[in-house]
Each structure stands twice: as C-alpha cells, then as structure tokens.
C-alpha cells in the first residue's frame, strides 16, 4: 500500500530513510503487522521519495480508496541498493521476519490495540 505524494510530503522531513516496522489498519478493519519503506528505492531508481507499506496479511480483495492508518514502532535498517531483484526479495523477507519478531515483544504488541486505529463511526475522513 503506497501513500500518496501529499501524505509522503507531510512526513517529518528529518525522518531517516530506511525500513521500519509497526502496525497497520485498513479502514476500521483488523490491525496487522507491517513493514514500511521510506525513501527513494534505489533499486528502482525512483526520483520521488515514497512511503510504501507492506501489511503482513493476505487480504481477500483490494482496498484502494480506503483509509490506511499506521503506527511506526521501530527501525530495521537503512535504505540500500541491491545487485539483483533476488537480493532485494531476500532482504524484504528478512525485514518481514525481523518485524514479526519485534512486534511480538510486549512493548510493541500493546500498540496493536490503541484507540488510534478506531475511526469514529460516521465520520468523513478525506472525503470518504
């Protein structure tokens, strides 16, 4: 799930690029573990900074247009380039495993149930 350019521009300018982990919720759905990439994705030679969320869950359908709420709880590693797509995929799998391990710790697990993830009923957010 990629955030819009407008959302990316609203992130703090001093946040380090790299791979983070935390919790994500689509709409008023369940809260899931996630890995987040902030940066330019050097392997793909992006010219614009992006914020891409990988929710560690298999959804039955697309959720385009839904509200995506995230809480970043930790940092895994800096952004880097890779020699091959296979090396990138391997690093992503390692990041996912590290995120799962970290998010099982009590200090991170408690944030899964935070009221931040509950959108007020009937409230319109971003025209939705």
């Amino acid at each position: 799930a990629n955030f819009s350019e407008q959302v990316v521009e609203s992130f703090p300018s001093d946040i380090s690029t790299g791979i983070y982990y935390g919790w994500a919720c689509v709409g008023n759905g369940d809260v899931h573990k996630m890995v987040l990439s902030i940066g330019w994705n050097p392997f793909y030679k992006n010219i614009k900074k992006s914020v891409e969320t990988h929710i560690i869950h298999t959804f039955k359908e697309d959720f385009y247009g839904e509200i995506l709420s995230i809480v970043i709880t930790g940092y895994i590693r800096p952004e880097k380039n890779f020699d091959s797509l296979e090396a990138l995929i391997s690093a992503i799998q390692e990041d996912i495993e590290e995120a799962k391990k970290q998010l099982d710790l009590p200090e991170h697990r408690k944030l899964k149930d935070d009221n931040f993830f509950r959108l007020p009923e009937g409230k319109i957010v971003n025209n939705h």
Side-chain angles (χ1 to χ4, degrees):
N2 298 342
F3 281 104
S4 70
E5 193 174 318
Q6 178 184 3
V7 171
V8 173
E9 289 171 0
S10 72
F11 267 64
S13 60
D14 60 348
I15 193 166
S16 297
T17 60
I19 309 303
Y20 293 81
Y21 59 88
W23 299 102
C25 179
V26 177
N28 262 331
D30 294 334
V31 178
H32 301 285
K33 295 175 180 178
M34 65 92 178
V35 177
L36 184 81
S37 168
I38 299 175
W40 287 271
N41 300 321
F43 183 77
Y44 291 105
K45 299 175 178 46
N46 290 0
I47 57 171
K48 289 193 176 207
K49 191 176 196 178
S50 66
V51 177
E52 300 175 359
T53 308
H54 173 76
I55 301 172
I56 304 171
H57 176 75
T58 302
F59 290 89
K60 292 179 183 169
E61 54 192 42
D62 290 335
F63 50 86
Y64 291 103
E66 291 286 337
I67 301 294
L68 174 62
S69 303
I70 63 167
V71 170
I72 299 171
T73 61
Y75 182 78
I76 297 175
R77 63 174 175 82
E79 177 179 53
K80 62 182 181 180
N81 200 352
F82 295 92
D83 294 332
S84 67
L85 182 57
E86 292 77 20
L88 171 61
I89 292 169
S90 178
I92 291 169
Q93 291 304 320
E94 290 171 14
D95 297 337
I96 289 169
E97 291 308 311
E98 180 65 18
K100 288 178 181 178
K101 183 173 79 173
Q102 293 297 324
L103 290 165
D104 281 339
L105 297 173
E107 62 266 29
H108 297 307
R109 191 156 195 70
K110 68 182 179 184
L111 294 169
K112 179 180 181 181
D113 299 320
D114 195 277
N115 284 335
F116 168 78
F117 290 114
R118 297 296 127 225
L119 293 174
E121 291 298 321
K123 183 175 180 186
I124 297 175
V125 181
N126 294 336
N127 299 321
H128 292 95

